[in-house]
Amino acid sequence: MKTTSQEIILTGDRATGPLHLGHYVGSLKQRVELQHTHQQSILVADMQGLTDNGNTPQRVADNVLGVVADYLAVGIDPDKTTICLQSGLPALTELSQFYANLVTVSRLERNPTVKSEIASKAFGRSVPAGFLCYPISQAADITAFDATLVPVGDDQLPMLEQTNEIVRRVNTICQNEVLIECKPLLTQTPRLPATCGKGKMSKSMGNAITLGASPKEIRSAVKSMYTDPNHLKVDDPGTVEGNVVFTYLDAFHPDKAVVEQLKTHYQRGGLGDGTTKQILEECLQELLTPIREKREAYLSDKAQLMTILREGTLQARENSQTVLRRVKAGFGLSHFEF
Amino acid sequence: MKTTSQEIILTGDRATGPLHLGHYVGSLKQRVELQHTHQQSILVADMQGLTDNGNTPQRVADNVLGVVADYLAVGIDPDKTTICLQSGLPALTELSQFYANLVTVSRLERNPTVKSEIASKAFGRSVPAGFLCYPISQAADITAFDATLVPVGDDQLPMLEQTNEIVRRVNTICQNEVLIECKPLLTQTPRLPATCGKGKMSKSMGNAITLGASPKEIRSAVKSMYTDPNHLKVDDPGTVEGNVVFTYLDAFHPDKAVVEQLKTHYQRGGLGDGTTKQILEECLQELLTPIREKREAYLSDKAQLMTILREGTLQARENSQTVLRRVKAGFGLSHFEF
């Protein structure tokens, strides 16, 4: 693998549904670029997907290969990027169990990311232990890959702080640099809103355009997109801020100058939502048609997907077992390896 | 392995210190008997030991082989009983991680055993996540061995309830009897008090007589034992209830009739603590001398202890991996085994 950076990148996605345009602009595009300059691994996070799907594991299982197909369809190259499955790496759960003794329950409860996710999922007092502990599992993921650079949105920064706290604690216990601290690689792209304009995209909320969306689904999603509710007639001046169609044009139209002209025209009046939506739809159809076709081709050969996933996982397994051995040796528990 | 019962027994000990007389009367003696009639496994629980020794893993590591030597010294036979090491069984941590998504944090916080242990360890709000979650790990231990019978004191019954709740939940999700419920085998022996008369024996509190105690340590421990603080002169009538010397005589003197005579004499007056202590000391020296000698012999050949532990662990690994495969298959995640 030819790389120009010493940094090791780990990213991943929960395998709870097909990936969508939010993932595409927020991380997938960046990963396709990073794979040429960095050593990069992508974790298909089925175990993490279970933390809020504990009673419906089949939902997670059913999405694993779809996520791998999404990666390949957007251009992630398994010869450049290690694509691996979380549940195929037992060292991750072993590291988690060690780390869980170094983190207090109240520290987990104070984690802002976990707090807001517990609130948004309306878990209340019924939060599963696995969910509360998922920052510990993420620390296991990151450290098991010796990752130094983790692409995240700024809402995820508390997770990396938690990881580095664990790293420092383990190194203090072992009196040795057994684990490596990581840095965030902050995503530049603002988060893509849901098509309804409220919150972030979510397949389960029906407000996301997936990478495998059919032409009809794309058309329908764009047609129903939230625009400016006060822009009643074509001639009325319209608002661009918070207008999802323009947010998407910013994100997906290849020609920034054209988007600026459209914005000016819309603000002045005389540009209808039908027209802006048609332009957006054309962009999205053009972007997604080849992705959808590749995705379908990959999904038609599940054995090949399994082979790719298996090879990546076996490669990641080697590294994660090495890190586990380092931690066990540092803890004085390495006499007992089997 | 010749057994006369279909029940499968799992027991174990935290590897946080050498075993003591409390373990001997409370469980070790029973295990020596049960190994002739049951399929029995004993787990050296180093991972569980870390749940309240996260920052001092060496303390746990240093005690592993001592605990194995304790087992062998009291007569546990590795040809009849599988002696295995928790950290050598990654399936246990993988099962724990699955189960953690099926148990809420508030359910763990309500567990009476965990509550009282958190109070007694003065963790307060600083309870490590691993400690709060240890009922989940115990469920993983028990189910990974397909254990049907778990010897416990009645203070541990809530742990088995938690295990069986998880078993039923997993079986419901899988729509199949993937896991087996367990029953308690209630320990008949009352808990042996600490030599100081307060609370239970604890090596770290310096109020326990370990199985490897030297003749001098045994003598000194018996001499300092709590008796009847109002029994000032030999001629005074003395109280037997709460008198640790008599509790120990009940537990360790081979002749119940002699103990009854001593009690009557003590209550009547005219029997000094010096005499009762001497009788007790003789019993304990007689019991512990061969155990100490065997223990030392075993500890002088660490390679042999490692071999015994390795063989037991590899045997347990096979079974625990089979159970893990059953759970993964039930959850629909078995396509992804590596």
Side-chain angles (χ1 to χ4, degrees), chain A residues 46-47 50-51 54-55 57-58 61 64-65 85 87-88 90 93-94 96-98 100-106 108-109 125-133 136-137 169 173 306 309-310 313-314 317 328 331-333 335-338, chain B residues 46-47 50-51 54-55 57-58 61 64-65 85 87-88 90 93-94 96-98 100-106 108-109 125-133 136-137 169 173 306 309-310 313-314 317 328 331-333 335-338:
Chain A
D46 56 345
M47 295 301 279
L50 289 174
T51 60
N55 288 300
Q58 195 67 48
V64 167
L65 290 185
L85 186 67
S87 68
T93 63
E94 291 187 72
S96 292
Q97 195 152 5
F98 284 120
N101 304 319
L102 308 175
V103 180
T104 67
V105 174
S106 51
L108 292 170
E109 287 172 341
R125 295 296 298 160
S126 297
V127 54
F131 192 85
L132 183 68
C133 293
I136 297 172
S137 305
R169 184 72 79 87
I173 293 170
M306 280 299 296
L309 190 57
R310 182 181 305 275
T313 304
L314 290 176
R317 185 178 283 210
K328 285 182 105 170
F331 282 3
L333 289 163
H335 302 310
F336 308 110
E337 275 184 15
F338 297 93
Chain B
D46 55 346
M47 294 302 279
L50 290 175
T51 60
N55 288 301
Q58 194 67 50
V64 167
L65 291 185
L85 186 67
S87 68
T93 63
E94 292 187 73
S96 292
Q97 196 152 6
F98 284 120
N101 304 318
L102 307 175
V103 179
T104 66
V105 174
S106 51
L108 291 171
E109 288 171 340
R125 295 297 297 159
S126 296
V127 54
F131 191 86
L132 182 69
C133 293
I136 297 172
S137 305
R169 183 73 79 86
I173 292 171
M306 280 299 297
L309 189 58
R310 182 182 307 274
T313 305
L314 291 176
R317 186 179 282 209
K328 285 182 104 170
F331 282 1
L333 289 163
H335 302 310
F336 308 110
E337 276 183 14
F338 296 93

Side-chain angles (χ1 to χ4, degrees), chain B residues 25 46 49 74 79 82 85 87 123 144 203 209 253 257 267 279 293 301 303:
Chain B
V25 290
D46 55 346
V74 299
D79 288 334
T82 306
L85 186 67
S87 68
F123 276 136
K203 173 68 181 159
I209 300 173
H253 197 289
Q267 287 166 323
I279 296 167
E293 286 169 3
D301 186 357

Side-chain angles (χ1 to χ4, degrees), chain A residues 223-254:
Chain A
K223 274 203 172 152
S224 70
M225 248 178 206
Y226 181 82
T227 57
D228 170 4
N230 298 316
H231 185 240
L232 299 174
K233 293 185 218 153
V234 172
D235 289 342
D236 287 344
T239 304
V240 160
E241 291 75 28
N243 184 320
V244 176
V245 175
F246 280 101
T247 312
Y248 276 56
L249 283 170
D250 278 334
F252 296 106
H253 198 290

Side-chain angles (χ1 to χ4, degrees), chain A residues 185-322:
Chain A
L185 176 63
L186 275 172
T187 308
Q188 301 301 323
T189 327
R191 193 182 281 284
L192 202 65
T195 55
C196 64
K198 278 181 205 150
K200 59 178 184 174
M201 277 201 171
S202 158
K203 174 68 181 159
S204 60
M205 305 291 283
N207 57 20
I209 300 173
T210 64
L211 299 182
S214 69
K216 204 177 145 193
E217 285 168 335
I218 296 169
R219 184 168 311 123
S220 152
V222 173
K223 274 203 172 152
S224 70
M225 248 178 206
Y226 181 82
T227 57
D228 170 4
N230 298 316
H231 185 240
L232 299 174
K233 293 185 218 153
V234 172
D235 289 342
D236 287 344
T239 304
V240 160
E241 291 75 28
N243 184 320
V244 176
V245 175
F246 280 101
T247 312
Y248 276 56
L249 283 170
D250 278 334
F252 296 106
H253 198 290
D255 191 336
K256 299 300 159 208
V258 170
V259 177
E260 286 313 306
Q261 282 170 10
L262 288 171
K263 283 182 183 174
T264 312
H265 191 175
Y266 192 82
Q267 286 166 322
R268 188 172 68 226
L271 181 58
D273 286 328
T275 310
T276 57
K277 285 182 170 175
Q278 199 185 330
I279 295 168
L280 174 61
E281 195 211 319
E282 281 165 19
C283 289
L284 295 184
Q285 298 285 10
E286 198 174 336
L287 172 72
L288 290 176
T289 299
I291 292 176
R292 178 180 58 248
E293 286 168 5
K294 283 185 203 157
R295 189 179 190 276
E296 277 164 14
Y298 284 118
L299 277 174
S300 72
D301 187 357
K302 293 225 163 76
Q304 190 206 0
L305 289 176
M306 280 299 296
T307 302
I308 289 169
L309 190 57
R310 182 181 305 275
E311 283 173 3
T313 304
L314 290 176
Q315 193 178 322
R317 185 178 283 210
E318 227 177 276
N319 196 75
S320 60
Q321 290 291 348
T322 304

Side-chain angles (χ1 to χ4, degrees), chain A residues 125-129, chain B residues 102-115 132 135-136 157-166 168-169:
Chain A
R125 295 296 298 160
S126 297
V127 54
Chain B
L102 307 175
V103 179
T104 66
V105 174
S106 51
R107 175 69 183 85
L108 291 171
E109 288 171 340
R110 276 200 315 272
N111 185 311
T113 313
V114 174
K115 260 166 104 166
L132 182 69
I136 297 172
L157 288 175
M159 308 305 274
L160 302 195
E161 280 172 34
Q162 176 69 80
T163 295
N164 286 338
E165 272 179 40
I166 291 172
R168 289 190 290 268
R169 183 73 79 86

Side-chain angles (χ1 to χ4, degrees), chain B residues 49-182:
Chain B
L50 290 175
T51 60
D52 56 347
N53 290 282
N55 288 301
T56 51
Q58 194 67 50
R59 188 185 158 201
V60 174
D62 287 347
N63 279 296
V64 167
L65 291 185
V67 169
V68 177
D70 284 330
Y71 293 155
L72 301 175
V74 299
I76 289 168
D77 176 354
D79 288 334
K80 293 197 164 65
T81 296
T82 306
I83 301 173
C84 51
L85 186 67
Q86 204 175 25
S87 68
L89 302 169
L92 302 184
T93 63
E94 292 187 73
L95 287 171
S96 292
Q97 196 152 6
F98 284 120
Y99 299 168
N101 304 318
L102 307 175
V103 179
T104 66
V105 174
S106 51
R107 175 69 183 85
L108 291 171
E109 288 171 340
R110 276 200 315 272
N111 185 311
T113 313
V114 174
K115 260 166 104 166
S116 81
E117 287 182 359
I118 287 176
S120 78
K121 287 177 194 289
F123 276 136
R125 295 297 297 159
S126 296
V127 54
F131 191 86
L132 182 69
C133 293
Y134 95 76
I136 297 172
S137 305
Q138 279 203 345
D141 298 342
I142 293 169
T143 54
F145 283 81
D146 284 327
T148 56
L149 209 53
V150 182
V152 286
D154 53 10
D155 58 329
Q156 294 290 312
L157 288 175
M159 308 305 274
L160 302 195
E161 280 172 34
Q162 176 69 80
T163 295
N164 286 338
E165 272 179 40
I166 291 172
V167 167
R168 289 190 290 268
R169 183 73 79 86
V170 168
N171 290 346
T172 301
I173 292 171
C174 300
Q175 297 179 287
N176 200 355
E177 296 293 302
V178 164
L179 299 178
I180 300 169
E181 288 195 48
C182 66

